[in-house]
Amino acid sequence: MSGNTKGVLILLSASLIWGMSFPAQDIVVDHHVGTFTFNCLRSLIAAALLLAIQIVRMRKGVLRDTLLAAGTAAAPDEPSFFCQDRKMTLSAGIFCGIALFFGIGLQQYGMQIYPEGVASSGRAGFLTATYVVIVAIASVFLGRKPRPVTLIAAGVCLLGMYFLCLAGGVSGVYTGDLLMLLDAFAFSVQILLIDHFSAVDGLTLSFLQFFTCGILSLIGMLLFETVSKGSVASILIPLLYCGVGSSACGYTLQIIGQRYADPAPASIAMSMESVFSGIGGWLLLGQTMSGRELLGCGLVFFAVILTQIPPFSVKNIVPSHIQRFFNTKDR
């Protein structure tokens, strides 16, 4: 199995876990648990689990061997948890944690304020998936020449969001939709940061980003929300799923998968979260979407795929001498 295939399979697993978390978040909304409270608990649960795994890895020497193999360990006998460049490790965890804090915070609050009867799980999943288009466009500002397909995909995405959010006129736009788009921008930043800090050990980065996110959410919880033990107890199963599954497992798989997969298949795999979220809302919550909303979802998903297919289709289908002739790598 090639490294790229391995990365895609890892990211597909993460997408399945994330997609099924939307119905769990809907359940949390129904029990009126505050956004900061929920994200604080899920993040700290994830951080605690990842810390326990790291302690086991350190005792067995797995962490040190991994970092030495990657050439990022400080010394063969370094016993510290941060046996890498400490400044880079802490910076990676803090910046990714801040981006994650805004990402999951906007997502959860957006789902919380959707009107009754709206298929919030499906809408949130598909609008969040636009981060793939945003990442493709953001690459333009990172020194890469845009491909025409990127502009086409952006137009298709906007059309899809029209049918999904604006088909009924201005009254069809929900505040939750706008928050989901901001959420997509936050996740785009998080994806780019993970790519930037790819030298940091995956589990270490995942622990630090969730610890940072948990502390920021804790501050918000103490300032703006009232915690009810009864409400928290009523969402124990969704909370554990989001803390252990979506957070600890899903986001760690994302960090690991992005190291193996090329950008194109990696983005396609992560965009499958939107499909799984719709399926999850249908299977677990009985949610339905109108024909126009389904059309909008289909167009958004098509745009997500469109931005990523050409790079690897050209690479694998067009002969190398034709690629060199047209200089496709620089386009």
Side-chain angles (χ1 to χ4, degrees), residues 30-106:
D30 292 339
H31 287 78
H32 306 290
V33 176
T35 296
F36 290 120
T37 299
F38 175 64
N39 286 337
C40 171
L41 294 174
R42 71 180 284 193
S43 296
L44 293 182
I45 287 173
L49 177 60
L50 292 168
L51 178 60
I53 294 173
Q54 284 291 56
I55 291 174
V56 172
R57 292 178 77 204
M58 285 191 295
R59 288 182 176 178
K60 293 185 176 181
V62 175
L63 177 59
R64 182 171 60 248
D65 293 342
T66 301
L67 295 174
L68 283 170
T72 57
D77 57 350
E78 174 63 67
S80 171
F81 179 79
F82 301 108
C83 47
Q84 311 172 254
D85 183 294
R86 288 175 173 80
K87 184 177 180 180
M88 180 179 69
T89 302
L90 289 172
S91 297
I94 292 172
F95 287 129
C96 288
I98 292 172
L100 186 65
F101 166 75
F102 283 105
I104 65 175
L106 289 167

Side-chain angles (χ1 to χ4, degrees), residues 3-9 11 195 256-267 269:
N4 191 64
T5 301
K6 180 178 180 180
V8 168
L9 292 176
L11 290 168
D195 181 69
I256 297 172
Q258 279 192 244
R259 290 185 174 182
Y260 289 103
D262 294 333
S267 296

Side-chain angles (χ1 to χ4, degrees), residues 21 200 319:
S21 73
V200 176

Side-chain angles (χ1 to χ4, degrees), residues 113-166:
I113 64 175
Y114 270 120
E116 193 73 27
V118 175
S120 56
S121 182
R123 291 173 74 99
F126 276 96
L127 287 172
T128 299
T130 59
Y131 65 73
V132 182
V133 178
I134 296 171
V135 169
I137 295 175
S139 65
V140 174
F141 300 96
L142 297 177
R144 300 179 183 178
K145 294 181 179 180
R147 300 190 310 273
V149 70
T150 301
L151 301 178
I152 296 173
V156 173
C157 183
L158 289 175
L159 180 62
M161 285 188 284
Y162 169 78
F163 284 112
L164 182 59
C165 307
L166 300 175

